[in-house]
């Protein structure tokens, strides 16, 4: 037996992954355990969980791998500082303590964290190699072109290459400070959202705007080549030397300073979001066309934070030139832990790789799960009122009754998802046909910005009926955006709504998941990978004719997705959620004891706004 622990840490989204004899046995992000969103601390809880899942101890590990090369990264930070010195001294000083204390002594730190029981070396890959490995090795392809795109690792901000059999080879890269991820993050910052978490909001905001700044961006901010490579004009940015992302010069270009966080959104931010989305897509399309012409391959694998831009992924799939695309669901840095572990198994140890169908990621359901016994003990201890419904069909019928009555249901079943999206195991679900659901879910359940769209889950066999996608198209990881099918849209009398008023227009038979540009972030649900969820959806479809539901992550704004039944119960009680399903236990809000209702402000205040 060969056990390999992969770790990503000290930047953002720490995670641990355990691979045993080539199989991904367990994977989890540290934030889920510590309840600190994007936690970057050493993933002590996540790695303890991974070992426990396999019944192993640190001394049983054959290899430990770390997802980037700290010395190279340090060199980049040092050189960037020196290039701009003395400007940037403050941000340099801010970064130093963590480097000197931990990052430059990683093997020592890791062995210490493993209780001194692991005495072998630590393997390091480059950041983009980890992303690339996470994109290719679990993919269903024997060979594929690979593209990674993110903010920055050591020096690379994007990399290209090929994967064949059990080997990946990266051949080209784009280097810091020229970075598509950082460009997108700069606009995220400028529009008043948090860097490294607000990017998803910016993408969701784009359909409210018109891309009227595209020319300004291309004319001023970057010099884009035909092959998709580019150079940024650094005078508009501040991330090399300062504590902000953008400079005064950018304020002048876009008619004023950045939007203050949490202040009202104006048309400018919506138009900026639409514009940078268009620019991002143009850059991605050029890179991908170039990669295709260089490699001549028909498959493409993607990872890195930019690969979470599902709008651009949807375009890639529709417009080609690659026939097939596979995207690592944990495309951000958490996925690097998976990449290094698989890299060690295949590339370093030379173990054969047989591409699996539909892929080697097991629906990304790789985290902890909890038994009925565990749950019942917890519920009894807390004095909760519950209904134990051991028969699956009975339970589904009860849940469907409640969803039809426009109740909001927290669904906690099976293993927790690995990656940023909840895929039905730590999800909040509701009726996609309901007109009020979008606003109820945003304002009373998630306590988040009213403009944010919700994603649908759809039974895979009926996906083309509801969305402009091929029959039985596979999108199990909610990484693709497609339009709602023409046949399900409703006539809209002359679209004259502007900005956030667009939300009020009824556009389709499934309004709760139809974004203001008629698009939707689709997750397909099939009976193999999501047995229980598919069965529940069949019950709903049988009753209502509709194979679509809303699926959003089980958390409130700023809170990491729930991991344990305890987190789920607290979130249920801290919000206006009506129903909680914990495996085979069903809880109704109305029946819970008064004493279990927390002070809501206190509950929400423990999570820093994202
Ligand atoms: Fe990354």
């Amino acid at each position: 037996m060969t056990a390999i622990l992969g770790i990503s840490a000290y930047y953002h989204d720490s995670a641990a992954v355990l691979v045993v004899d080539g199989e991904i046995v367990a994977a989890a992000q540290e934030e889920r355990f510590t309840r600190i969103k994007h936690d970057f601390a050493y993933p002590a809880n996540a790695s303890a969980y991974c070992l426990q899942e396999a019944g192993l101890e640190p001394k049983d590990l054959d290899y430990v791998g770390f997802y980037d090369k700290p010395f190279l990264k340090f060199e980049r930070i040092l050189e960037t500082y020196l290039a701009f010195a003395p400007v940037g001294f403050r941000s340099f000083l801010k970064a130093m303590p963590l480097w000197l204390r931990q990052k430059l002594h990683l093997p020592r730190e890791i062995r210490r964290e493993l209780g001194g029981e692991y005495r072998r070396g630590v393997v390091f890959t480059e950041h983009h190699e980890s992303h690339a490995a996470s994109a290719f090795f679990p993919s269903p392809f024997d060979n594929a072109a690979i593209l990674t795109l993110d903010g920055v690792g050591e020096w690379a901000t994007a990399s290209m290459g090929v994967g064949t059999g059990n080997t990946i080879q990266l051949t080209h890269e784009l280097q810091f400070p020229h970075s598509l991820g950082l460009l997108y993050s700069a606009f995220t910052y400028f529009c008043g959202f948090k860097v490294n978490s607000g990017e998803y909001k910016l993408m969701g905001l784009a359909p409210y705007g018109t891309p009227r700044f595209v020319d300004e961006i291309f004319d001023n901010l970057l010099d884009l080549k035909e092959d998709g490579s580019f150079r940024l004009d650094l005078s508009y940015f501040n991330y090399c030397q300062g504590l902000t992302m953008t400079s005064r010069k950018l304020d002048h270009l876009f008619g004023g300073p950045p939007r203050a966080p949490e202040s009202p959104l104006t048309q400018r931010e919506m138009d900026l979001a639409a514009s940078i989305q268009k620019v991002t897509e143009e850059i991605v399309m050029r890179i991908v066309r170039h990669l295709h012409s260089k490699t001549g391959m028909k498959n493409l694998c993607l990872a890195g934070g930019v690969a979470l831009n599902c709008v651009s992924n949807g375009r890639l799939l529709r417009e080609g030139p690659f026939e097939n695309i596979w995207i690592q669901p944990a495309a951000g840095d958490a996925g690097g832990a998976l990449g290094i572990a698989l890299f060690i198994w295949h590339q370093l140890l030379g173990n054969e790789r047989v591409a699996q169908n539909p892929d080697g990621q097991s629906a990304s359901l790789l985290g902890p799960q909890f038994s009925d016994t565990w749950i019942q003990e917890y519920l009894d201890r807390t004095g909760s009122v519950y209904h134990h419904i051991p028969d699956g069909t009975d339970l589904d019928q009860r849940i469907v009754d409640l969803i039809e009555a426009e109740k909001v249901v927290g669904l906690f079943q099976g293993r927790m998802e690995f990656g940023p999206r909840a895929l039905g195991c730590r999800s909040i679900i509701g009726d996609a046909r309901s007109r009020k659901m979008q606003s109820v879910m945003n304002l009373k359940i998630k306590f988040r910005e009213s403009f944010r769209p919700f994603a649908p889950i759809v039974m895979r066999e009926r996906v083309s009926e509801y969305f402009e996608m091929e029959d039985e198209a596979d999108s199990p990881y909610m990484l693709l955006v497609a339009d709602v099918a023409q046949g399900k849209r409703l006539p809209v009398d002359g679209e004259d709504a502007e900005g956030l008023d667009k939300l009020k227009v009824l556009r389709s038979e499934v309004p709760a998941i139809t974004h203001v540009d008629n698009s939707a972030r689709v997750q397909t649900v099939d009976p193999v990978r999501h047995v229980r969820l598919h069965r529940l959806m069949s019950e709903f479809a049988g009753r209502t004719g509709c194979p679509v539901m809303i699926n959003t992550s089980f958390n409130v704004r700023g809170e990491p997705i729930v991991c344990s039944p305890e987190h789920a119960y607290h979130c249920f009680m801290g919000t206006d959620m009506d129903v909680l399903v914990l495996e085979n236990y069903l809880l109704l809000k109305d029946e819970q004891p008064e004493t279990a209702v927390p002070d809501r402000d206190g509950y929400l205040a423990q999570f820093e706004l994202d």
Side-chain angles (χ1 to χ4, degrees), residues 127 131 150 333:
H127 190 98
H131 278 315
D150 71 356
D333 282 355

